[in-house]
Amino acid sequence: MKRLPLVILCGLLLSGSSPQLPNNGVLEREMQSLTDRGLHVQLLGEVVEATDPVSGETWLFSTKMLIPREPTYLGLPTLTIDLRTLDTSLYNWKYHYVNSFPLSSEWGFPLQLGDFDRNGRPEAYGIYQTQSEYLTRIYERLQDITWGFRYSYPGHPGIPNKRGDLDSDSLLELFASANDTLTTFTQLATGSLPTIVKFKFKQWHFGATGIPNELVDIDNDGKVELVYRGTEPDSQTTNVAKTYVARYDSTVNNLMRIWSKQLPPGCFDNNCTGNISPGEFDGDGRREFVTSSFTGNAYVVEHVAGDSFAVTWQDSLSVAGRVAAGDVDGNGIEEFFVGGNQLENDGQVHLRAYVLTCPQFMYQLEC
């Protein structure tokens, strides 16, 4: 990696060992990154002091945050960070409160934002809660910084969780999840809001849960597919949870499953993978997605050809898994992250994240 991110593996410091300064180049790079932002930086013992020459404001950073701890899980390099030492005030100038509107969502389902009707003002799609019910609503940013109510969907179709163009007809769709069903709303025309029900797709045949979907062109054919966790009945049991790839079929005006696999085999409910993040992790031109379970099972599934997919990597990380992906170091190869809560030997629950990158998805901590 070109520059070590502040957080690779994070959690509360586990030991009371004597202080030491990082000697692997990380401290120098972090100090240089602060200097590049126009700050005056100096090392005062075990503390980095960064001062804004214009405002005179000063921030202090503990060098303990930059010391790798070894050995660690499976003997892999670890950067342990005491979250209590983090000073986020350095970035306060980047954000300021503007306004608010009465929409919310649920954990794992960020609000959907987009200018569907192309009037130059973005809309927000989310949940409006009253004392007695939940409603699915649209608010729009007005000419100034305020937001105004635009539309309330009949009934409660669910949590808006994705938007895209499944059928490549230039009309955008909004997807909302509720119980076992994914409801797809489309536009009547390119200048309208997505209020017309296009189809409803049954994702769950038992144990409906709020696991997000991913819309991505996973096979590089120019059309997006839906990658998701769901369930289906089979000849032996009625409770089979699998990871699926589905494609829109105009002949039935609905999604059709083109691939599925139970990960790990024989899993049940939250032991099965569900959280999903797409990417291109090995640089071979074929897209993949990483998926993990709350028991720490992690898999990379790659598109092979046509409707064929294959598991190309798997591991068990002993951490309640949430996944994310992106090229954080700008080298053209995407990394992926598996993280969550983990019970450590000290009896406390810690936040831990693993970063994985090629070659061969080995754990990397390049300093």
Coordinates of all heavy atoms in Angstrom, one line a residue, residues 138-183:
I138 N -40.8 10.2 0.3 CA -39.8 10.9 -0.4 C -39.8 12.3 0.0 O -40.8 13.0 0.1 CB -40.1 10.8 -2.0 CG1 -40.2 9.4 -2.5 CG2 -39.0 11.6 -2.7 CD1 -40.6 9.3 -3.9
Y139 N -38.6 12.8 0.3 CA -38.4 14.3 0.5 C -37.4 14.8 -0.5 O -36.5 14.1 -1.0 CB -37.8 14.5 2.0 CG -38.9 14.6 3.0 CD1 -39.6 13.4 3.4 CD2 -39.3 15.8 3.6 CE1 -40.6 13.5 4.4 CE2 -40.3 15.9 4.5 CZ -41.0 14.7 4.9 OH -42.0 14.7 5.8
E140 N -37.5 16.1 -0.9 CA -36.7 16.7 -1.9 C -36.1 17.9 -1.4 O -36.7 18.7 -0.7 CB -37.5 16.9 -3.1 CG -36.7 17.5 -4.3 CD -37.6 17.7 -5.5 OE1 -38.5 18.6 -5.5 OE2 -37.4 17.0 -6.5
R141 N -34.8 18.2 -1.8 CA -34.2 19.4 -1.4 C -34.7 20.5 -2.3 O -34.8 20.4 -3.5 CB -32.7 19.3 -1.7 CG -31.9 20.6 -1.2 CD -30.4 20.4 -1.3 NE -30.0 20.3 -2.7 CZ -29.9 21.3 -3.5 NH1 -30.1 22.6 -3.1 NH2 -29.5 21.2 -4.8
L142 N -35.1 21.6 -1.6 CA -35.7 22.8 -2.3 C -34.6 23.7 -2.8 O -33.5 23.4 -2.8 CB -36.7 23.5 -1.3 CG -37.8 22.6 -0.7 CD1 -38.6 23.4 0.2 CD2 -38.6 21.9 -1.8
Q143 N -35.0 24.8 -3.3 CA -34.1 25.7 -4.0 C -33.0 26.2 -2.9 O -31.9 26.4 -3.3 CB -34.8 27.0 -4.6 CG -35.7 26.6 -5.7 CD -34.9 26.2 -7.0 OE1 -33.7 26.2 -7.0 NE2 -35.7 25.8 -8.0
D144 N -33.4 26.4 -1.7 CA -32.5 26.7 -0.7 C -32.0 25.4 0.0 O -31.9 24.4 -0.7 CB -33.1 27.7 0.4 CG -34.4 27.1 1.0 OD1 -34.6 25.8 0.8 OD2 -35.1 27.8 1.7
I145 N -31.6 25.5 1.2 CA -31.0 24.3 1.9 C -32.1 23.4 2.6 O -31.7 22.4 3.2 CB -29.9 24.7 2.9 CG1 -30.5 25.6 4.0 CG2 -28.8 25.4 2.2 CD1 -29.5 25.9 5.1
T146 N -33.3 23.8 2.5 CA -34.4 23.1 3.2 C -34.8 21.9 2.3 O -34.6 21.8 1.1 CB -35.6 24.0 3.5 OG1 -36.1 24.5 2.3 CG2 -35.1 25.1 4.4
W147 N -35.5 21.0 3.0 CA -36.1 19.8 2.3 C -37.6 19.8 2.5 O -38.1 20.1 3.6 CB -35.5 18.5 2.9 CG -34.1 18.3 2.6 CD1 -33.0 19.0 3.1 CD2 -33.5 17.4 1.7 NE1 -31.8 18.6 2.6 CE2 -32.1 17.6 1.7 CE3 -34.1 16.4 0.8 CZ2 -31.2 16.8 0.9 CZ3 -33.2 15.7 0.0 CH2 -31.8 15.9 0.0
G148 N -38.3 19.4 1.4 CA -39.8 19.4 1.5 C -40.3 18.0 1.1 O -39.7 17.2 0.4
F149 N -41.5 17.7 1.7 CA -42.2 16.5 1.4 C -42.6 16.4 -0.1 O -43.2 17.3 -0.6 CB -43.4 16.3 2.3 CG -44.3 15.2 2.0 CD1 -43.9 13.9 2.2 CD2 -45.5 15.4 1.4 CE1 -44.8 12.8 1.9 CE2 -46.4 14.4 1.1 CZ -46.0 13.1 1.3
R150 N -42.4 15.2 -0.7 CA -42.8 15.0 -2.1 C -43.9 14.0 -2.3 O -44.9 14.1 -3.0 CB -41.6 14.7 -3.0 CG -40.8 15.9 -3.5 CD -41.5 16.8 -4.5 NE -42.0 16.1 -5.6 CZ -41.3 15.9 -6.8 NH1 -40.1 16.3 -6.8 NH2 -41.9 15.2 -7.8
Y151 N -43.7 12.8 -1.6 CA -44.6 11.7 -1.9 C -44.5 10.7 -0.8 O -43.5 10.5 -0.2 CB -44.1 11.0 -3.2 CG -45.0 9.9 -3.7 CD1 -46.2 10.1 -4.3 CD2 -44.6 8.5 -3.5 CE1 -47.0 9.0 -4.7 CE2 -45.4 7.5 -3.9 CZ -46.6 7.7 -4.5 OH -47.4 6.7 -4.9
S152 N -45.7 10.0 -0.5 CA -45.7 8.9 0.4 C -46.3 7.7 -0.3 O -47.4 7.7 -0.9 CB -46.6 9.3 1.6 OG -46.6 8.3 2.6
Y153 N -45.5 6.6 -0.2 CA -46.0 5.4 -0.9 C -47.2 4.8 -0.2 O -47.2 4.7 1.0 CB -44.9 4.3 -1.0 CG -43.7 4.7 -1.9 CD1 -42.7 5.5 -1.5 CD2 -43.8 4.3 -3.2 CE1 -41.7 5.9 -2.4 CE2 -42.8 4.6 -4.1 CZ -41.7 5.4 -3.7 OH -40.7 5.8 -4.6
P154 N -48.2 4.2 -0.9 CA -49.3 3.6 -0.3 C -48.9 2.4 0.6 O -48.0 1.6 0.2 CB -50.2 3.1 -1.5 CG -49.7 4.0 -2.6 CD -48.3 4.3 -2.4
G155 N -49.5 2.3 1.7 CA -49.1 1.2 2.6 C -47.7 1.4 3.1 O -47.2 2.6 3.3
H156 N -46.9 0.4 3.3 CA -45.5 0.5 3.7 C -44.8 -0.6 3.0 O -44.6 -1.7 3.4 CB -45.4 0.3 5.2 CG -43.9 0.2 5.7 ND1 -43.0 1.2 5.3 CD2 -43.3 -0.6 6.5 CE1 -41.8 0.9 5.8 NE2 -41.9 -0.2 6.6
P157 N -44.3 -0.3 1.7 CA -43.6 -1.2 0.9 C -42.2 -1.6 1.5 O -41.6 -2.6 1.0 CB -43.4 -0.5 -0.4 CG -43.5 0.9 -0.1 CD -44.4 1.0 1.1
G158 N -41.7 -0.9 2.5 CA -40.5 -1.3 3.1 C -39.4 -0.3 3.1 O -39.6 0.9 2.9
I159 N -38.2 -0.7 3.3 CA -37.0 0.1 3.5 C -36.4 0.3 2.1 O -35.9 -0.7 1.5 CB -36.0 -0.5 4.4 CG1 -36.6 -0.8 5.8 CG2 -34.8 0.5 4.6 CD1 -35.8 -1.6 6.7
P160 N -36.3 1.5 1.5 CA -35.6 1.7 0.3 C -34.1 1.4 0.5 O -33.5 1.9 1.4 CB -35.8 3.2 0.0 CG -37.0 3.6 0.7 CD -37.0 2.8 2.0
N161 N -33.6 0.5 -0.3 CA -32.2 0.0 0.0 C -31.3 0.1 -1.2 O -30.1 0.0 -1.1 CB -32.2 -1.4 0.6 CG -32.8 -2.4 -0.3 OD1 -32.3 -2.7 -1.4 ND2 -33.8 -3.1 0.2
K162 N -31.8 0.2 -2.5 CA -31.0 0.3 -3.6 C -31.8 1.0 -4.7 O -33.0 1.1 -4.7 CB -30.6 -1.1 -4.1 CG -29.5 -1.8 -3.3 CD -28.2 -1.2 -3.4 CE -27.1 -1.8 -2.6 NZ -27.3 -1.7 -1.2
R163 N -31.0 1.5 -5.7 CA -31.6 2.0 -6.9 C -30.7 1.7 -8.1 O -29.5 1.5 -8.0 CB -31.8 3.6 -6.8 CG -30.5 4.3 -6.5 CD -30.7 5.8 -6.1 NE -29.5 6.5 -5.8 CZ -28.8 7.1 -6.7 NH1 -29.2 7.2 -8.0 NH2 -27.7 7.8 -6.4
G164 N -31.4 1.6 -9.3 CA -30.6 1.2 -10.5 C -31.5 1.1 -11.7 O -32.7 1.5 -11.7
D165 N -31.0 0.4 -12.7 CA -31.8 0.2 -14.0 C -31.6 -1.2 -14.4 O -30.7 -1.6 -15.1 CB -31.3 1.2 -15.1 CG -32.1 1.1 -16.3 OD1 -33.1 0.3 -16.3 OD2 -31.8 1.7 -17.3
L166 N -32.4 -2.1 -13.9 CA -32.3 -3.5 -14.1 C -32.5 -3.9 -15.5 O -31.9 -4.8 -16.0 CB -33.3 -4.3 -13.2 CG -32.9 -4.7 -11.8 CD1 -34.0 -5.4 -11.1 CD2 -31.6 -5.6 -11.9
D167 N -33.4 -3.3 -16.2 CA -33.8 -3.7 -17.6 C -33.2 -2.8 -18.7 O -33.5 -3.0 -19.8 CB -35.3 -3.7 -17.7 CG -36.0 -2.4 -17.3 OD1 -35.3 -1.5 -17.0 OD2 -37.2 -2.4 -17.3
S168 N -32.3 -1.9 -18.3 CA -31.6 -1.0 -19.3 C -32.5 -0.3 -20.2 O -32.3 -0.2 -21.4 CB -30.6 -1.9 -20.1 OG -29.7 -2.6 -19.3
D169 N -33.7 0.2 -19.6 CA -34.6 1.0 -20.5 C -34.5 2.5 -20.2 O -35.4 3.2 -20.6 CB -36.0 0.5 -20.2 CG -36.5 0.7 -18.8 OD1 -35.7 1.1 -18.0 OD2 -37.7 0.4 -18.5
S170 N -33.5 2.9 -19.5 CA -33.3 4.3 -19.1 C -34.2 4.8 -18.1 O -34.2 6.0 -17.7 CB -33.3 5.2 -20.4 OG -32.3 4.9 -21.3
L171 N -35.1 4.0 -17.6 CA -36.0 4.3 -16.5 C -35.4 3.7 -15.2 O -35.2 2.5 -15.2 CB -37.4 3.9 -16.7 CG -38.2 4.5 -17.9 CD1 -39.5 3.8 -18.1 CD2 -38.3 6.0 -17.8
L172 N -35.2 4.6 -14.2 CA -34.6 4.1 -13.0 C -35.6 3.4 -12.1 O -36.8 3.7 -12.1 CB -33.9 5.2 -12.2 CG -32.8 6.0 -13.0 CD1 -32.3 7.1 -12.2 CD2 -31.7 5.0 -13.3
E173 N -35.1 2.4 -11.3 CA -35.9 1.7 -10.4 C -35.4 1.9 -8.9 O -34.2 2.1 -8.7 CB -35.9 0.2 -10.6 CG -36.6 -0.2 -11.9 CD -35.7 -0.5 -13.0 OE1 -34.5 -0.8 -12.8 OE2 -36.1 -0.4 -14.2
L174 N -36.4 2.0 -8.0 CA -36.1 2.0 -6.6 C -36.5 0.7 -6.0 O -37.6 0.2 -6.3 CB -36.8 3.2 -5.9 CG -36.7 3.3 -4.4 CD1 -35.3 3.9 -4.1 CD2 -37.8 4.2 -3.8
F175 N -35.7 0.1 -5.1 CA -36.0 -1.2 -4.5 C -36.2 -1.0 -3.0 O -35.4 -0.4 -2.3 CB -34.9 -2.2 -4.8 CG -34.5 -2.3 -6.2 CD1 -33.7 -1.5 -6.9 CD2 -35.1 -3.3 -7.0 CE1 -33.4 -1.6 -8.2 CE2 -34.9 -3.5 -8.3 CZ -34.0 -2.6 -8.9
A176 N -37.3 -1.6 -2.5 CA -37.7 -1.5 -1.1 C -37.9 -2.9 -0.6 O -38.6 -3.7 -1.2 CB -38.9 -0.6 -0.9
S177 N -37.3 -3.2 0.6 CA -37.4 -4.5 1.2 C -38.4 -4.4 2.4 O -38.3 -3.5 3.3 CB -36.1 -5.0 1.7 OG -35.2 -5.2 0.6
A178 N -39.3 -5.4 2.5 CA -40.2 -5.6 3.6 C -40.5 -7.0 3.8 O -41.0 -7.7 2.8 CB -41.4 -4.7 3.5
N179 N -40.2 -7.6 5.0 CA -40.5 -9.0 5.3 C -39.8 -9.9 4.2 O -38.6 -9.8 4.1 CB -42.0 -9.2 5.3 CG -42.7 -8.4 6.4 OD1 -42.1 -8.3 7.5 ND2 -43.9 -7.9 6.2
D180 N -40.6 -10.7 3.5 CA -40.0 -11.6 2.6 C -39.9 -11.1 1.1 O -39.4 -11.8 0.2 CB -40.7 -12.9 2.6 CG -42.2 -12.8 2.1 OD1 -42.6 -11.6 1.8 OD2 -42.9 -13.8 1.9
T181 N -40.3 -9.8 0.9 CA -40.5 -9.4 -0.5 C -39.6 -8.1 -0.8 O -39.5 -7.2 0.0 CB -41.9 -9.1 -0.7 OG1 -42.7 -10.3 -0.5 CG2 -42.2 -8.6 -2.2
L182 N -39.1 -8.1 -2.0 CA -38.4 -7.0 -2.6 C -39.3 -6.3 -3.6 O -39.7 -7.0 -4.6 CB -37.1 -7.3 -3.2 CG -36.2 -6.2 -3.8 CD1 -35.6 -5.4 -2.7 CD2 -35.1 -6.7 -4.7
T183 N -39.8 -5.1 -3.3 CA -40.7 -4.4 -4.2 C -39.9 -3.4 -5.1 O -39.1 -2.7 -4.6 CB -41.8 -3.7 -3.5 OG1 -42.6 -4.6 -2.7 CG2 -42.8 -3.0 -4.4

